[in-house]
């Protein structure tokens, strides 16, 4: 049976490491140690952790070493161009086979974006391939959860709605990135209410005065309202803290401390 699980995304560590000329891949061991110290039982990594037999073995060894779970992994990929979509699906499925054996139950996917927007034909093609991908993953007992940033929110969420309304709910679920929905001009509460039955996981971030905050906490989005909606929807799955740094984001403490504060906020607001 599914259950709420507190998780964190590794993206912000890639930002911090990049400032020092370092890569996540080279420092994954120490990053996962910080995830554990901050109090998370789980994290969301990247599908390319399972790109090779060597990277797969390393990932599984690190999960065991740190006593962490990896319920979901993130990836992109072109599904709107028929010339590329099949290769995208084949690569994701091949890696998902290895990911499933490491305990991954969901692929968080953000289909490749055209910032000026996709044509109706491209959106229809994308939806068709999302269904095909979801069907292939279901055979592995892995779910497909569609993620969004702000470009997909243009024109009243045209691409996000297409991804969901044109696909089979049994094959394609939803990773609601509530802050990107809001920043893209959408109403995150409305999306959660409308598509709540398709939620596989959530990405949680907040801002104050429209600038991403240093930790997950109160701010421009009402997370207590989000928690109430999730409870009404009987949502069970990973609640993923996804901190990120942009110009103006305060940086007053070590990242591990901001992650610990965010973890405590999940307990306080979401009860997990």
């Amino acid at each position: 049976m599914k259950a709420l699980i507190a998780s964190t995304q590794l993206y912000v560590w890639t930002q911090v490491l990049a400032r020092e000329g370092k890569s996540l891949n080279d420092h994954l061991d120490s990053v996962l140690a910080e995830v554990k110290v901050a109090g998370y039982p789980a994290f969301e990594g990247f599908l390319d952790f399972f790109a090779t037999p060597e990277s797969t073995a390393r990932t599984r060894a690190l999960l065991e070493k740190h006593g962490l779970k990896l319920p979901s992994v993130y990836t992109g990929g072109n599904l709107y161009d028929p010339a590329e979509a099949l290769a995208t699906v084949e690569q994701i499925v091949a890696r998902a086979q290895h990911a499933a054996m490491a305990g991954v139950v969901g692929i968080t996917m953000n289909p490749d974006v055209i910032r000026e927007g996709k044509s109706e034909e491209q959106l229809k093609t994308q939806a068709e391939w999302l269904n095909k991908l979801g069907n292939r993953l279901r055979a592995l007992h892995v779910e497909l959860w569609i993620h969004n940033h702000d470009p997909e929110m243009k024109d009243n969420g045209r691409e996000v709605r297409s991804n969901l309304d044109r696909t089979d709910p049994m094959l394609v679920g939803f990773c609601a990135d509530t802050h990107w929905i809001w920043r893209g001009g959408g109403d995150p509460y409305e999306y959660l209410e409308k598509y709540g039955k398709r939620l596989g996981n959530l990405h949680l971030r907040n801002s104050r005065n429209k600038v991403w905050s240093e930790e997950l906490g109160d701010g421009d989005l009402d997370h207590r309202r989000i928690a109430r909606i999730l409870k009404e929807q009987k949502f069970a799955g990973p609640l993923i803290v996804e901190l990120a740094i942009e110009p103006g984001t305060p940086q007053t403490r070590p990242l591990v401390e901001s992650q610990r504060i965010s973890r405590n906020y999940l307990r306080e607001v979401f009860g997990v």
Side-chain angles (χ1 to χ4, degrees), residues 38-186:
Y40 294 94
F43 67 97
E44 180 174 83
F46 299 95
L47 185 58
D48 61 11
F49 286 180
F50 301 94
T52 67
E54 294 77 17
S55 65
T56 297
R58 179 183 182 231
T59 300
R60 296 185 70 172
L62 288 174
L63 290 173
E64 183 175 353
K65 175 181 177 179
H66 295 286
L68 291 168
K69 295 184 178 183
L70 182 61
S72 60
V73 288
Y74 181 92
T75 191
N78 186 325
L79 294 176
Y80 64 83
D81 182 347
E84 296 188 33
L86 177 58
T88 295
V89 168
E90 294 296 342
Q91 182 182 80
I92 290 174
V93 170
R95 294 178 178 183
Q97 289 178 317
H98 300 295
M101 291 187 287
V104 171
V105 297
I107 304 293
T108 301
M109 185 190 187
N110 204 116
D112 288 355
V113 167
I114 299 176
R115 293 203 67 86
E116 60 271 22
K118 293 170 183 161
S119 68
E120 279 300 296
E121 188 62 32
Q122 288 170 326
L123 288 176
K124 289 178 183 177
T125 297
Q126 182 165 279
E128 291 170 2
W129 282 99
L130 284 171
N131 276 330
K132 292 176 182 178
L133 175 58
N135 189 52
R136 294 281 301 277
L137 291 174
R138 185 169 67 168
L140 302 175
H141 304 287
V142 174
E143 297 182 19
L144 176 61
W145 303 328
I146 297 304
H147 177 270
N148 65 276
H149 292 113
D150 57 334
E152 302 93 322
M153 293 303 304
K154 290 180 179 178
D155 300 324
N156 190 33
R158 176 171 169 263
E159 183 165 345
V160 173
R161 294 179 191 275
S162 173
N163 288 339
L164 294 169
D165 294 342
R166 285 173 160 153
T167 55
D168 184 343
M170 298 299 294
L171 301 177
V172 181
F174 188 25
C175 168
D177 192 307
T178 53
H179 197 275
W180 277 120
I181 291 172
W182 178 80
R183 181 166 280 187

Side-chain angles (χ1 to χ4, degrees), residues 12-13 16 30-40 243 253-263:
V12 69
W13 272 282
V16 170
S30 61
V31 166
L32 296 187
E34 291 194 349
V35 170
K36 188 72 174 182
V37 166
Y40 294 94
L243 302 183
R253 63 176 81 93
L255 176 55
V256 66
E257 180 63 13
S258 292
Q259 288 283 1
R260 186 190 64 78
I261 293 169
S262 303
R263 175 70 187 94

